[in-house]
Structure formats: structure tokens, C-alpha cells
């Protein structure tokens, strides 16, 4: 079905549809792939997070969920508005630290989004 999680049911901390059945993708790969995806960037208002959809070379449908500067800044603003002590990212090593101009801008924007 369109926009429905199709991960196999692999038990992981009680969640039937979780990262135990998926995999982590570096942010650089996401930024390159999203522009050629089937859907382009989609937005989930409940999760306050972007995602996109694509089919691989054998026709298998995939969804990729990720954070971007906008989603991170919304989460950081929520933390600040509630007087909480901080926020963290899942894996900062997945950002693109190459010297390409676009990569530098994307990485800088992600880190800046952590401080509303």
C-alpha cells in the first residue's frame, strides 16, 4: 500500500516494524537518492519528519525516513520550549564531511538545527 511501512515483522524491543528489519543509510546517500526517488521528499506531520519512496533495480518498494535541518529544528525547538536539558542525534557520523560545497552546507545546516 502507498505510504505504509512494509518492513517484515522482525521482533525488536516489542515493535513489529522496526529498524531490526531495516538498515541505516548515510545522509549523503539520502541526499543524492531523494532527487531521483519516485516520490521526492514527503512529510509526515505526526512524526514531523521527511521520508521518500523508491523502487530498487528488482522492483522492490522502499521507504527511507530521515531527519533534515527542518525536522531537527522542530524537535530542538520542542525541547527548548519544554525546558528540557538537551537533544541528540542518532548518528552524526552519517553526515557527509567531504569538502564538496553542497555537503558542507548540508552538514553545517544539520548541526545548526540542533540549537534553536
Amino acid at each position: 500500500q502507498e505510504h505504509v511501512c512494509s518492513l517484515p515483522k522482525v521482533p525488536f524491543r516489542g515493535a513489529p516494524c522496526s529498524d531490526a528489519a531495516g538498515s541505516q543509510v548515510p545522509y549523503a546517500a539520502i541526499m543524492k537518492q531523494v532527487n531521483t526517488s519516485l516520490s521526492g521528499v514527503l512529510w509526515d506531520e505526526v512524526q514531523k519528519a521527511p521520508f521518500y519512496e523508491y523502487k530498487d533495480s528488482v522492483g522492490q518498494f522502499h521507504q527511507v525516513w530521515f531527519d533534515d535541518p527542518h525536522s531537527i529544528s522542530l524537535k530542538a525547538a520542542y525541547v527548548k520550549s519544554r525546558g528540557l536539558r538537551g537533544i541528540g542525534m542518532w548518528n552524526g557520523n552519517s553526515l557527509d564531511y567531504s569538502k564538496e560545497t553542497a555537503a558542507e552546507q548540508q552538514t553545517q545546516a544539520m548541526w545548526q538545527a540542533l540549537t534553536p
Side-chain angles (χ1 to χ4, degrees):
Q1 295 177 351
E2 192 172 330
H3 309 305
V4 174
C5 180
S6 61
L7 292 173
K9 291 186 177 187
V10 176
F12 181 73
R13 299 184 186 166
C17 191
S18 69
D19 61 348
S23 61
Q24 184 171 320
V25 179
Y27 191 68
I30 289 170
M31 291 296 95
K32 289 177 182 168
Q33 187 179 46
V34 71
N35 293 328
T36 60
S37 68
L38 292 172
S39 64
V41 176
L42 301 171
W43 181 260
D44 184 277
E45 190 57 37
V46 174
Q47 301 298 321
K48 304 287 190 227
F51 68 100
Y52 64 92
E53 301 168 334
Y54 74 95
K55 285 187 181 177
D56 62 22
S57 60
V58 296
Q60 179 77 27
F61 178 79
H62 299 271
Q63 271 185 357
V64 178
W65 288 76
F66 61 101
D67 274 309
D68 63 6
H70 177 65
S71 64
I72 291 286
S73 66
L74 291 173
K75 292 167 186 166
Y78 177 84
V79 166
K80 186 175 182 178
S81 74
R82 298 294 190 265
L84 302 175
R85 292 189 173 198
I87 187 171
M89 291 173 49
W90 179 253
N91 190 341
N93 290 340
S94 291
L95 296 174
D96 186 348
Y97 293 101
S98 70
K99 296 298 179 188
E100 294 179 21
T101 302
E104 286 181 332
Q105 291 170 345
Q106 291 167 352
T107 298
Q108 183 180 13
M110 287 291 278
W111 285 111
Q112 286 176 340
L114 287 169
T115 52

